[in-house]
Amino acid sequence: VYLPQVNEQIAVHAVEGHPNSRGGQEVILVVEDEEGVRQLIRDLLEESGYTILIAKNGQEALSICANYKGNIDLVLTDVVMPEMGGPELAGHLKAQYPTLKVLFTSGYTNHAIVRNGELESGASFIQKPFTMTNLIRKVREVLNGDSKALSVRFAT
């Protein structure tokens, strides 16, 4: 490897985060059946300033929503889980809270999930594995995406 010597000053520019990757103060319910993935998502989102509620399956998520006294701004759920998958969970929640924002995640591609009928075309989706930057960016995009959708207050 040949690296030529440079005698001139090199300007260094600081990078101030990634576009659209700023964190927030919103509350996110993470529904994921794999413990390691669940913990990773929690750590990444908490590091970005979000308050995280955790459920290991759809039934637990419904219970959290029924008992939570604050606002939940987003549900981030795995598509394929035992007993109740993400789309079924979202259906239950959206029937009760029509403005609730949902972000689906899966190890399968978006195309495969839509083709198999597990997810509606146009649903917010991020494929596993994802980077911290991509997750934070996608969460922010979904949270900012629909100006008519508001946070949903649970357990009034």
Side-chain angles (χ1 to χ4, degrees):
V1 176
Y2 172 72
L3 299 173
Q5 182 177 358
V6 177
N7 293 326
E8 53 193 68
Q9 188 82 10
I10 298 175
V12 178
H13 301 281
V15 176
E16 295 199 25
H18 301 283
N20 300 322
S21 65
R22 68 177 174 78
Q25 298 177 343
E26 292 91 347
V27 176
I28 300 172
L29 172 59
V30 175
V31 188
E32 169 62 56
D33 59 321
E34 294 290 330
E35 184 177 350
V37 175
R38 195 170 53 237
Q39 189 59 46
L40 175 66
I41 293 171
R42 168 188 239 160
D43 292 347
L44 293 176
L45 293 175
E46 282 181 343
E47 187 176 307
S48 293
Y50 296 102
T51 300
I52 305 303
L53 305 172
I54 292 290
K56 60 185 172 196
N57 57 50
Q59 290 298 330
E60 191 173 300
L62 291 174
S63 177
I64 288 170
C65 290
N67 296 308
Y68 188 69
K69 305 259 188 263
N71 294 331
I72 295 179
D73 300 287
L74 174 72
V75 174
L76 189 157
T77 180
D78 195 358
V79 172
V80 180
M81 295 183 291
E83 298 176 35
M84 181 188 303
E88 183 181 354
L89 169 63
H92 287 298
L93 292 175
K94 297 274 271 170
Q96 193 169 4
Y97 311 102
T99 60
L100 182 63
K101 295 178 182 180
V102 179
L103 174 58
F104 294 99
T105 184
S106 178
Y108 299 101
T109 65
N110 188 14
H111 177 71
I113 290 173
V114 170
R115 189 181 66 235
N116 291 336
E118 295 186 50
L119 197 59
E120 291 180 22
S121 179
S124 297
F125 178 81
I126 186 169
Q127 185 177 348
K128 297 176 195 172
F130 41 75
T131 65
M132 176 180 177
T133 300
N134 289 343
L135 176 63
I136 299 303
R137 181 177 289 142
K138 188 65 175 185
V139 165
R140 189 79 259 151
E141 177 184 302
V142 173
L143 286 168
N144 292 344
D146 183 359
S147 60
K148 291 186 279 183
L150 304 172
S151 299
V152 176
R153 178 167 289 284
F154 290 86
T156 55

